[in-house]
Amino acid sequence: MQAIFTQAIGLVLAENQRVLQTITYPAVEQLVQKITDVERIFVIGEGRSGLAIRMF
């Protein structure tokens, strides 16, 4: 069981690393500005993202 868990963690980390490498600093600045300019934010996700959002 531990080996499967370790393998799953490695997969998730590799996926996250690939995604994060595509994000540019100007895009992050723009996102932060948009988030701070509004009163409310609606977030929806599926899979792991959906589970993460439900933690908030």
Side-chain angles (χ1 to χ4, degrees):
M1 181 72 162
Q2 184 175 354
I4 294 170
F5 186 68
T6 301
Q7 183 180 8
I9 289 173
L11 177 63
V12 170
L13 291 175
E15 289 174 0
N16 288 340
Q17 185 175 19
R18 279 193 301 274
V19 170
L20 290 173
Q21 288 174 343
T22 67
I23 298 172
T24 64
Y25 186 77
V28 172
E29 283 184 312
Q30 184 180 15
L31 175 64
V32 169
Q33 187 63 50
K34 288 181 184 264
I35 289 172
T36 58
D37 286 347
V38 297
E39 186 175 318
R40 293 181 180 187
I41 300 170
F42 177 78
V43 180
I44 189 168
E46 292 189 26
R48 289 189 302 263
S49 300
L51 293 173
I53 294 302
R54 288 185 207 139
M55 291 187 291
F56 293 103

